């Protein structure tokens, strides 16, 4: 509701001409509320979805979050492109830009309607029952330090990859390669739709081979592929641009889906929502979030269209060193438990599932 209200209110902010500096201040305030909402929602939705999933299909369920995030980006871009086509420039500047923000109101109401009819997860019910019947205090967040550190590493790779794929590519094609914006949006949408299709496949791979190997493969991909991908895109050839986006989508789906499920499996049940949100949002706010700006700065300051790839390679290389040494195989973790096996490197056998039982 906070996200829906803040987004809708952006559409009602008076212009700078009407209220002066209060207009941008209100915009920043509402953007902060959006950020607060997203910060808790991504990890919270991961916990909600996966804690109710069969153990041998957790990653497949997690792929829904990754895939629908891409679908939402495509839908938003498509809506904006449609408005650009049916409204004049003056109409867009006057009121047209507000329409996508107003659309958040009915969407938020639909989301509220659905959620009021959902039940809490079996894990949450078990924790609540245990706390009500026991005088033992809940585990402290300091137990999450190792998981938070690992999350910062794999979430930085995942977040940076997604921001490049979903937002920076459009600006790169338009500003650096001088491709018309409608064509840039179309090429980006094709890349995101292909990535969306890849996500359930990545989920099935992870359910079969575990989290560690697919995540490391994706991280290695971000060490090796960004430079060749930007070389392909720098040609300006639409077919080669799509090929480059397909390559990015193939490695992004591996890191994205495993990130979502590891946000649940690597944290103790009783502190999962808070612990995973801390690690994930540190990575997105301070590493992945500035990525598109850093990429644009590298491209403009060096004059080299390949330069934005260097930042991706740099972040992935640092993360790879940490993950190779310390990332456990989390697919066999009991998500009802507050104990994490930090030494597991290979997937264990699928045991009886408490959720199914």
């Amino acid at each position: 509701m906070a996200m829906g209200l803040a987004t809708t209110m952006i559409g009602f902010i008076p212009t700078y001409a009407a209220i002066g500096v209060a207009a941008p201040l209100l915009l920043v305030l509402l953007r902060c509320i959006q950020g607060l909402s997203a910060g808790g929602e991504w990890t919270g939705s991961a916990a909600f979805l996966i804690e109710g999933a069969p153990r041998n299909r957790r990653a497949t369920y997690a792929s829904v979050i990754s895939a629908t995030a891409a679908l939402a980006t495509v839908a938003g871009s498509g809506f904006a492109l449609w408005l650009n086509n049916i409204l004049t420039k003056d109409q867009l500047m006057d009121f047209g830009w507000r329409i996508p923000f107003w659309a958040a109101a009915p969407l938020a109401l639909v989301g509220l309607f659905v959620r009021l009819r959902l039940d809490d997860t079996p894990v949450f019910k078990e924790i609540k029952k245990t706390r009500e019947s026991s005088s033992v205090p809940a585990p402290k967040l300091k137990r999450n330090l190792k998981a938070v550190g690992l999350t910062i590493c794999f979430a930085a790779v995942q977040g940076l990859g997604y921001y490049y794929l979903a937002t920076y590519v459009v600006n790169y094609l338009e500003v650096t390669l001088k491709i018309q914006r409608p064509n840039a949006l179309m090429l980006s949408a094709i890349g995101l739709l292909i990535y969306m299709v890849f996500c359930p496949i990545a989920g099935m791979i992870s359910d079969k081979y575990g989290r560690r190997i697919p995540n490391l493969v994706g991280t290695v991909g971000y060490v090796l592929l960004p430079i060749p991908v930007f070389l392909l895109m720098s040609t300006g050839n639409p077919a080669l641009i799509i090929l480059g986006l397909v390559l990015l989508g193939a490695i992004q789906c591996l890191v994205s889906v495993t990130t979502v499920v590891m946000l649940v499996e690597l944290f103790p049940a009783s502190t999962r929502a808070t612990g995973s949100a801390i690690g994930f949002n540190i990575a997105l706010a301070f590493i992945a979030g500035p990525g598109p700006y850093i990429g644009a700065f590298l491209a403009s300051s060096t004059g080299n269209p390949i330069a934005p790839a260097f930042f991706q390679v740099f972040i992935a290389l640092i993360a790879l060193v940490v993950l190779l040494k310390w990332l456990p195989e989390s697919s066999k973790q009991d998500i009802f438990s507050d104990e994490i096996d930090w030494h597991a490197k290979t997937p264990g056998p699928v045991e009886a599932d408490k959720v199914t039982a």
Side-chain angles (χ1 to χ4, degrees):
M1 289 306 298
M3 176 64 83
L5 181 62
T7 305
T8 304
M9 290 304 297
I10 288 176
F12 289 99
I13 296 177
T15 63
Y16 180 85
I19 62 172
V21 73
L25 288 177
L26 283 171
L27 176 59
V28 171
L29 174 63
L30 292 171
R31 288 289 289 154
C32 288
I33 296 174
Q34 285 183 314
L36 177 70
S37 305
E41 177 64 11
W42 184 272
T43 53
S45 62
F48 185 88
L49 188 63
I50 296 167
E51 286 182 355
R55 180 178 176 181
N56 62 345
R57 297 192 66 196
R58 288 177 193 162
T60 302
Y61 276 58
S63 70
V64 172
I65 294 178
S66 300
T68 52
L71 181 60
T73 303
V74 172
S77 297
F79 191 20
L81 187 59
W82 177 67
L83 289 175
N84 274 272
N85 288 332
I86 66 169
L87 299 177
T88 66
K89 185 176 181 180
D90 289 340
Q91 288 174 327
L92 280 171
M93 293 298 293
D94 183 30
F95 67 89
W97 68 270
R98 299 178 183 272
I99 296 175
F101 295 97
W102 293 338
L107 291 174
L109 291 176
V110 171
L112 178 64
F113 176 82
V114 171
R115 290 185 181 219
L116 287 175
R117 283 154 179 77
L118 295 175
D119 201 2
D120 280 315
T121 69
V123 176
F124 181 82
K125 289 180 178 179
E126 185 70 23
I127 293 171
K128 187 177 180 181
K129 181 179 177 181
T130 302
R131 285 181 180 175
E132 289 175 349
S133 63
S134 173
S135 60
V136 178
K140 296 182 178 180
L141 281 172
K142 65 181 182 180
R143 294 185 56 193
N144 294 335
L145 290 179
K146 185 173 182 179
V148 166
L150 288 169
T151 299
I152 291 172
C153 289
F154 59 69
V157 177
Q158 181 267 333
L160 183 60
Y162 184 75
Y163 286 153
Y164 263 50
L165 188 63
T167 60
Y168 177 61
V169 161
V170 175
N171 291 334
Y172 176 79
L173 296 177
E174 182 182 6
V175 176
T176 304
L177 302 185
K178 309 303 180 184
I179 294 175
Q180 293 294 317
R181 186 167 184 81
N183 294 333
L185 284 169
M186 186 64 65
L187 289 169
S188 174
I190 291 172
L192 282 170
L193 288 172
I194 293 171
Y195 159 73
M196 183 183 73
V197 173
F198 283 167
C199 284
I201 299 172
M204 291 183 282
I205 290 172
S206 179
D207 279 329
K208 184 173 182 178
Y209 298 104
R211 322 297 181 227
R212 177 180 163 86
I213 292 176
N215 187 269
L216 290 175
V217 169
T219 305
V220 170
Y222 270 119
V223 174
L224 300 177
L225 288 181
I227 292 175
V229 164
F230 273 86
L231 280 170
L232 289 171
M233 292 195 296
S234 67
T235 64
N237 184 307
L240 294 180
I241 290 171
I242 292 175
L243 175 59
L245 294 177
V246 168
L247 292 175
L248 284 182
I251 56 176
Q252 177 61 27
C253 70
L254 293 174
V255 296
S256 183
V257 171
T258 52
T259 290
V260 173
V261 72
M262 288 191 296
L263 288 174
V264 176
E265 294 174 342
L266 287 181
F267 286 87
S270 57
T271 55
R272 178 170 294 141
T274 304
S276 60
I278 290 172
F280 185 77
N281 289 299
I282 285 175
L284 266 66
F286 297 106
I287 303 174
Y293 301 99
I294 294 173
F297 170 77
L298 291 173
S300 62
S301 61
T302 64
N304 184 353
I306 315 301
F310 300 157
F311 185 57
Q312 278 191 303
V313 172
F314 174 71
I315 295 300
L317 193 57
I318 293 175
L320 181 62
V321 172
V322 176
L323 297 175
L324 273 173
K325 184 172 179 61
W326 285 294
L327 183 67
E329 174 49 60
S330 62
S331 60
K332 65 179 181 179
Q333 300 288 352
D334 179 1
I335 60 174
F336 283 77
S337 174
D338 275 331
E339 300 299 324
I340 305 296
D341 181 4
W342 292 109
H343 303 290
K345 297 296 183 183
T346 56
V350 177
E351 301 165 359
D353 192 323
K354 291 184 182 180
V355 175
T356 303

